[in-house]
Amino acid sequence: MKYKDSRLSPEVRAKDLTERMTLVEKVGQLNQRLYGFRAYEREGDTVKVSDTFKDEVKRWSGIGVLYGLYRADPWSGRNYETGISKEQAVKTYNLLQSYVMEHSRLEIPMLLSTECPHGHQALDGYLLPVNLAMGAAFSKELVYQAYRVCGKQMREMGVDMALISLLDILRDPRWGRSEECFGEDPCLASALSASVIKGVMAEGVEVVAKHLAAQGETTGGVNASAARIGERELREIHLPAMKACVDAGVSAVMAAYNEIDGIPCHANSWLLQQVLGKEMGFDGIVMADGFAVDRLEVLTGDIRTTGAKALNAGVDVSLWDEGFTHLEQGIKDGLLSEGRLDEAVLKVLTMKFRRGLFEHPLLGEAKKRFFTFSAEKENLELARQSAVLLKNEGELLPLDKTGMMKIAVIGPNAFDIYSQLGDYTPPVLDGVTIADGIEAYAEQYENLKVTFSQGCQGADSAMLIDQAEQQSAEADVTILVLGGTSSRFGDVSFDKNGAAVTSGEVHMDCGEGVDLSTLKLPDEQLAMADRVYQAAKKTITIVMAGRPYNIGEIVERTNALLYSFYPGPKGGRAIAELIFADAVPSGRLPVSFPRDAARLPSCYNYRNSYQAMHYADGQDGPLYAFGYGLAYDEVIYSDFSVTKEAIGISELVHKPVFLKMVMENHSKRRAFGVPMVFTSRLEGSVVPRVSELKGFEKILLYPGESRSVTIKLEHAAFSGWNERMVYETEPGRVRIQVKDGGRLLWSKEIKLKD
């Protein structure tokens, strides 16, 4: 039997095995039906196979892919008492994998998929700041290193595929899943997506990039709503990250819930087969999102035919839906060919052979496993580098930790670890809140006298606001902590796909299922802030959030403002270090901040065919634009040069344009520079965008240090989709600009010649 011969290629072995399988067994390889956290039952320290899992194995003579074995959160109901701890992980994996192989006629092992939205969503999972924070950090290398740690942990736990949000572009901050995006810009998202994939795959784990495509466009900021855009907008804004993932070697992708111009992504053969497959060269697995196949009933009128519809369009593996369970009947009814079914089965089996599961299906239980992260500092460093300093009146920050000072720390988010972690977070035992971080300084420096107050909290808000007002009046400096929360740890109910089901009583104001019609912070926080600003001598405001909020009034009233997109479990320590100068702010906004929800969209890269978002009432433009961010000490830029000011289009393919500059740190502190290169086409067949990011770096400079930096602009930096929807470089003038933190540092026109 060829499929048992390890000397043969995975493709040859998969083909041989497919030919030996029954139709039911084939369909079973494509059904990822189970909630993996229900595949086992735990009683104390004992874990056993659940009847639900046994029934599924019996139905299909095996399991193709098992989702979420290690998942722990309020929706799954798994915690430290009921879930799989780090000590039990390997034994539990081996228990289930052994059961599958013993009850599979052909001894086919299962693949294991898991959620890794911002770190492994498991008990003792290595957690990171959310994607929007990683976008603010603007560090490709740091993101790569952080996800290597995640990949190493998942590999040691037997995970084959990590489901990671990489493709969504944030075009409307009312969308509850804003935190899952790297930002509003395709260049930034592409660079960081590639870093994530390379980091995870370097440790031997495959990545399922999600979601394809344009889910972040939305209609009115509502989750899973229509992307009412044309093909050019789709290709220019929402598909570059997917191409970057393909180029980085991604092996799987998840289709998105939304429709594009009336066609659901799960039924969009043009998107999945023509664009993704033929144009981008992707030949890996296309996975469905949870129950998304069943939603195609709006097209078919019958849930039993939705599976055939999705499979024909290019979806290979299901997720929880009923539709894929009817594929056998779909073949009998002529809705689907067995050849198309075999194509999908071959993809799944090829991955299993490639990963060596047939030779080594079980994990070595005697081997010392990697489950402690005391030496891993990437999540802390990401928290430091992602915080964005938006205002620093009179250089209030950083505070002098050696001087006598009374400090009041006010606000409920200063005390709640889950309010700094983001959506889809497991239970956390080891975290540092802002209150913890500042208290650690107070314990170390006796001259710092710190008081703490929740500031507002439900029925006790009136009393707490009075207390906050008094403490602020007595303090030299008040640190006011505001923000939203994506915490599921509270009175939250969930949809069958795990999204939050919201009502007026739910405390969540961000996360999947939590879309807003406004961008206001919670009313009780605003009431608290009003009293604090009136009473305080000086105020440092910290906003922790998963999206841009309407902070115009806060900006006017506070002396300093630090915005931190959910900074992860070490976020409180990072923010305290930034306040007291043991770290320096270097974040840049990955998304523009609108003045309010009535002035959306506010993205910086609009087309140059109209005066963007001009109204007769109010001030034009965003409150803060993409790329903005202050520092304690500015890096000095000089000696800009570009290799050629006129270049032939044919030359660009082999001869990139090199942009050079010198960066210097004249201060007495470390400083980061984040040079961003933008282009603006001044001529062409399609109305150009006002500005487009085409490259960036993040450079750390020590006091007195000077460095020469080169940023390479490939031919793609000067190419686009022309009037005939052909991707090419057109002749004409192009303006190149270099910016950092919103400062225009250099501008030059170059000419592209035929």
Side-chain angles (χ1 to χ4, degrees), residues 473-547:
E474 295 172 353
D476 299 309
V477 176
T478 297
I479 299 174
L480 178 63
V481 184
L482 306 174
T485 181
S486 295
S487 173
R488 295 164 163 248
F489 294 83
D491 186 18
V492 182
S493 58
F494 304 99
D495 204 344
K496 62 182 181 180
N497 70 343
V501 177
T502 56
S503 67
E505 301 300 318
V506 175
H507 68 280
M508 291 177 68
D509 66 348
C510 200
E512 184 173 4
V514 193
D515 310 313
L516 300 180
S517 61
T518 74
L519 294 174
K520 286 200 318 177
L521 286 162
D523 288 339
E524 63 177 12
Q525 288 193 30
L526 294 176
M528 170 190 68
D530 177 62
R531 296 272 291 278
V532 168
Y533 288 138
Q534 291 184 57
K537 298 179 180 69
K538 292 185 181 296
T539 310
I540 299 166
T541 302
I542 312 293
V543 180
M544 288 194 299
R547 58 154 60 91

Side-chain angles (χ1 to χ4, degrees), residues 28 116 137 156 175 218 310 359 391 439 456 469 485 535 559 575 595 618 665 674 686-687 713 739:
C116 187
E156 296 290 0
W175 187 37
T218 79
E359 283 66 52
K391 183 178 181 180
E439 187 173 26
C456 59
E469 182 180 37
T485 181
N559 300 100
I575 289 172
R595 296 186 183 277
N665 179 9
V674 189
V686 176
V687 174
L713 298 177
K739 298 180 180 180

Side-chain angles (χ1 to χ4, degrees), residues 42-56:
R42 177 182 165 189
E43 296 178 2
D45 293 332
T46 302
V47 177
K48 63 180 183 179
V49 180
S50 70
D51 289 340
T52 300
F53 187 77
K54 292 177 181 178
D55 291 343
E56 189 72 3

Side-chain angles (χ1 to χ4, degrees), residues 138-145 191-192 195 695-698:
F138 271 87
S139 176
K140 293 168 278 191
E141 178 61 24
L142 185 52
V143 168
Y144 168 80
Q145 294 296 345
L192 298 186
S195 294
F696 64 92
E697 295 294 337
K698 189 164 196 177

Side-chain angles (χ1 to χ4, degrees), residues 664-693:
E664 300 173 87
N665 179 9
H666 294 170
S667 75
K668 296 180 180 180
R669 283 185 287 246
R670 295 185 310 152
F672 287 88
V674 189
M676 304 178 194
V677 181
F678 296 86
T679 65
S680 305
R681 287 187 293 114
L682 303 178
E683 300 170 74
S685 64
V686 176
V687 174
R689 298 182 186 276
V690 171
S691 184
E692 297 180 84
L693 181 70

Side-chain angles (χ1 to χ4, degrees), residues 410-416 419 453-457 481-482 524-525 528:
I410 309 292
N413 286 24
F415 303 88
D416 180 18
S419 289
S453 173
Q454 288 276 345
C456 59
Q457 196 72 36
V481 184
L482 306 174
E524 63 177 12
Q525 288 193 30
M528 170 190 68

